[in-house]
Amino acid sequence: MTYDGFPPFISAQLHYLINHFAHPVRVEQAWSGSKYSNTLDRFTLLIPYCLDTIKWDVIYNAEFPHVPPDVIFGPEDEGFHPFYNESGGEGDSRSIKNSLATWNNKDPTRLLALIWELRDQYMSYQRKRVGEVDDDRLKFEICTMLSREGIEMHMSSGVEKPEEVKFAVPLMDMNINKMVVGCPWRHPQKISLQVIYPVNRKYVSAPSAPHLKLMSTPALKSLFSVDDVKLPPWLDGMCMAEYLPHLEETLERQVSEAVSLIEVRRRFIEALAPLFGRPIETDSVFYRKSMFFVASGAFSFLVLFFLSTQFPKQQPSLMLQSSMYFNSQGMPIKSPLLTDYPWSPRWEHSQMAERTFEFLVDESVNFKKYCNEAQLQQNQH
């Protein structure tokens, strides 16, 4: 994002927060607190928590830059008072007290330190709320998961929705970033299991399975999609401590396989070169995309290959793009995605390339006709 409109000291602190926070924080909106100036000095932060986001308003006063900002929490967290202990005295968190007491608007790291400490306090606050729920099953589940690091909890309740407890359980002790050569990711890529339990304050002899959803950091989709993972069944009487080991074992195997498929895609793209020439552009980390410039007689065009993480089980999608013909908006004419052509995942890479090339030799004739017709219609208008 751009930081235009903020005073330099807020801009520096916000820039540092967004670029160095351990989780991908975003600014949803920004506005001015002054009636007489358009200087931006307050904003809403979207902070990842428990596989969701919490919204906090950060309120600076541009006219008094030496004063630390106020932080306004969401309406559902009216019981969260990190600056006060239960007796209403000063902050029970020494780190937050120090963060505010030693505030220095010229130090770009101060906002990050404050938000990190507040998020840590919020995690403790939610853990305390969940621990106070009068539900025997939840109490048992919490006891069985205490040894796992990094679990986040969230208690949600409202007038129009039933009480439920949400867990975010980090899975696998694997450094996925280190497994990818030339890794472009700034943040560690992680897979987590979201587990949602309805709160049952009465004894239930056969509690139903919790709602389970596998989630990952968004950038991981370049390598591995959790949407393709079939979750193991939740058996009657099962608890999380029994369920997680089998799931983690399955995921570790599938992630390792996804890493090995990078090389498989690379070798396929290499096998295209003798037929199509050297690619003019290729995704050289995951090998999910490649572009070739080809000519059929006087007709030249680009061929784009899109390879999914399921390659070679799933054949590449192809698109042809003209280098000579343009639509009425001045954009190059493109074919629809082509996926219906001869393919077998059991073929050698050279045979895959040859059969794809043969298909495109014929398809180029159709594409040239398509371009000519599009150009003719455009000229008539």
Side-chain angles (χ1 to χ4, degrees), residues 250-378:
T250 302
L251 283 172
E252 286 176 4
R253 184 176 66 252
Q254 293 186 1
V255 169
S256 296
E257 182 182 343
V259 172
S260 69
L261 287 176
I262 295 175
E263 176 63 16
V264 175
R265 293 192 292 270
R266 185 189 69 80
R267 282 189 274 130
F268 169 71
I269 290 173
E270 279 189 349
L272 294 170
L275 299 162
F276 291 89
R278 287 178 59 85
I280 58 173
E281 192 175 324
T282 295
D283 161 20
S284 59
V285 176
F286 302 106
Y287 293 92
R288 297 280 308 278
K289 299 175 186 174
S290 194
M291 183 191 298
F292 295 82
F293 181 79
V294 296
S296 175
F299 180 59
S300 59
F301 55 96
L302 299 173
V303 180
L304 289 80
F305 287 78
F306 302 98
L307 285 69
S308 79
T309 56
Q310 298 298 305
F311 178 91
K313 292 179 186 176
Q314 193 176 88
Q315 67 197 93
S317 297
L318 312 175
M319 181 187 285
L320 308 185
Q321 177 178 311
S322 176
S323 59
M324 305 162 60
Y325 297 90
F326 301 87
N327 61 21
S328 56
Q329 286 80 42
M331 302 296 291
I333 295 175
K334 299 177 182 179
S335 74
L337 279 178
L338 306 170
T339 55
D340 187 16
Y341 58 92
W343 184 265
S344 170
R346 291 180 293 276
W347 289 342
E348 294 290 330
H349 291 108
S350 57
Q351 188 175 4
M352 291 176 179
E354 287 165 7
R355 296 297 292 271
T356 304
F357 181 78
E358 290 168 3
F359 166 76
L360 286 173
V361 167
D362 294 334
E363 189 61 31
S364 66
V365 177
N366 297 329
F367 183 56
K368 183 179 181 181
K369 183 180 177 184
Y370 175 72
C371 290
N372 284 330
E373 290 173 351
Q375 192 74 36
L376 189 60
Q377 287 180 357
Q378 186 177 330

Side-chain angles (χ1 to χ4, degrees), residues 36-83:
Y36 310 104
S37 168
N38 292 326
T39 301
L40 302 176
D41 59 359
R42 44 203 66 190
F43 47 87
T44 300
L45 282 181
L46 296 181
I47 303 164
Y49 177 76
C50 205
L51 301 176
D52 207 333
T53 53
I54 47 178
K55 291 185 182 183
W56 291 349
D57 290 340
V58 180
I59 310 297
Y60 285 87
N61 188 332
E63 295 178 11
F64 300 95
H66 297 291
V67 177
D70 288 329
V71 181
I72 301 175
F73 309 110
E76 70 281 3
D77 292 318
E78 58 184 20
F80 179 46
H81 303 295
F83 299 105

Side-chain angles (χ1 to χ4, degrees), residues 236-248:
D236 289 344
M238 191 175 251
C239 68
M240 287 302 300
E242 296 172 294
Y243 184 80
L244 293 175
H246 176 55
L247 173 59
E248 289 186 307

Side-chain angles (χ1 to χ4, degrees), residues 83-262:
F83 299 105
Y84 300 94
N85 59 30
E86 291 181 359
S87 62
E90 291 187 1
D92 59 349
S93 167
R94 186 173 298 175
S95 62
I96 290 179
K97 180 182 174 185
N98 288 344
S99 178
L100 293 175
T102 60
W103 184 262
N104 180 357
N105 70 306
K106 295 180 181 178
D107 182 351
T109 69
R110 301 311 297 161
L111 178 61
L112 183 147
L114 175 62
I115 297 299
W116 182 258
E117 289 162 357
L118 285 172
R119 188 183 183 280
D120 199 44
Q121 285 287 304
Y122 185 76
M123 195 157 58
S124 300
Y125 160 73
Q126 286 290 348
R127 188 178 288 262
K128 183 172 181 286
R129 288 189 72 201
V130 172
E132 292 171 349
V133 173
D134 185 18
D135 183 317
D136 290 338
R137 182 193 192 185
L138 275 171
K139 290 179 184 293
F140 176 73
E141 290 285 11
I142 292 169
C143 287
T144 63
M145 292 192 287
L146 282 176
S147 61
R148 296 184 71 97
E149 292 184 4
I151 292 180
E152 295 181 350
M153 308 176 189
H154 187 269
M155 172 79 185
S156 64
S157 58
V159 178
E160 298 181 358
K161 63 179 182 179
E163 286 184 307
E164 61 183 27
V165 171
K166 185 191 301 179
F167 293 91
V169 185
L171 300 174
M172 304 188 303
D173 187 18
M174 294 176 85
N175 189 330
I176 301 176
N177 292 45
K178 282 191 174 180
M179 298 169 70
V180 177
V181 178
C183 170
W185 299 318
R186 192 175 68 184
H187 295 286
Q189 297 304 301
K190 296 177 181 178
I191 300 175
S192 299
L193 183 67
Q194 185 183 73
V195 188
I196 301 177
Y197 290 96
V199 174
N200 293 310
R201 298 186 183 276
K202 296 179 181 179
Y203 175 74
V204 180
S205 59
S208 59
H211 176 74
L212 304 172
K213 186 177 182 182
L214 208 56
M215 300 178 74
S216 74
T217 39
L220 187 62
K221 286 188 176 181
S222 300
L223 171 72
F224 177 75
S225 174
V226 294
D227 296 336
D228 297 328
V229 178
K230 185 178 179 182
L231 286 172
W234 181 281
L235 305 178
D236 289 344
M238 191 175 251
C239 68
M240 287 302 300
E242 296 172 294
Y243 184 80
L244 293 175
H246 176 55
L247 173 59
E248 289 186 307
E249 185 181 314
T250 302
L251 283 172
E252 286 176 4
R253 184 176 66 252
Q254 293 186 1
V255 169
S256 296
E257 182 182 343
V259 172
S260 69
L261 287 176
I262 295 175

